Amino acid sequence: AVGASEDTIEASTGSGTSSIKMDDLPLKVVEMIRRSAPTAEVDSISRLTSSGEVFYDVSFKDSVHHPKLLIRDDGRLIK
């Protein structure tokens, strides 16, 4: 899903999302969250899949100052 929009990814996952903890994330995903929003408090993390690829949708408690992140399992920031 290289270049796929977040809407495409979410639409293709259906009810396959699940809320997970920071401890369950790949190290590169945790590092990207800390680089992108070092002071933000995570509200929820969902694991999404599209065409066999894994993405993590990260929401923060203060969504005004810290919008959602969409991160590939290899740590690359999509959105």
Side-chain angles (χ1 to χ4, degrees):
V2 175
S5 70
E6 182 178 5
D7 293 336
T8 302
I9 293 166
E10 289 178 327
S12 66
T13 60
S15 61
T17 63
S18 60
S19 186
I20 59 175
K21 301 175 200 166
M22 288 282 280
D23 293 343
D24 298 329
L25 295 172
L27 180 60
K28 290 186 180 277
V29 174
V30 173
E31 290 171 349
M32 179 54 72
I33 293 169
R34 289 184 177 149
R35 273 197 307 270
S36 300
T39 61
E41 187 176 353
V42 173
D43 185 43
S44 67
I45 303 169
S46 297
R47 184 177 186 267
L48 313 170
T49 56
S50 176
S51 301
E53 296 184 70
V54 178
F55 301 86
Y56 295 92
D57 185 45
V58 183
S59 297
F60 299 98
K61 294 202 178 196
D62 180 3
S63 60
V64 172
H65 294 101
H66 302 285
K68 274 185 168 190
L69 299 176
L70 184 64
I71 304 170
R72 287 178 58 124
D73 64 346
D74 64 4
R76 283 189 283 168
L77 184 64
I78 304 299
K79 177 183 172 197

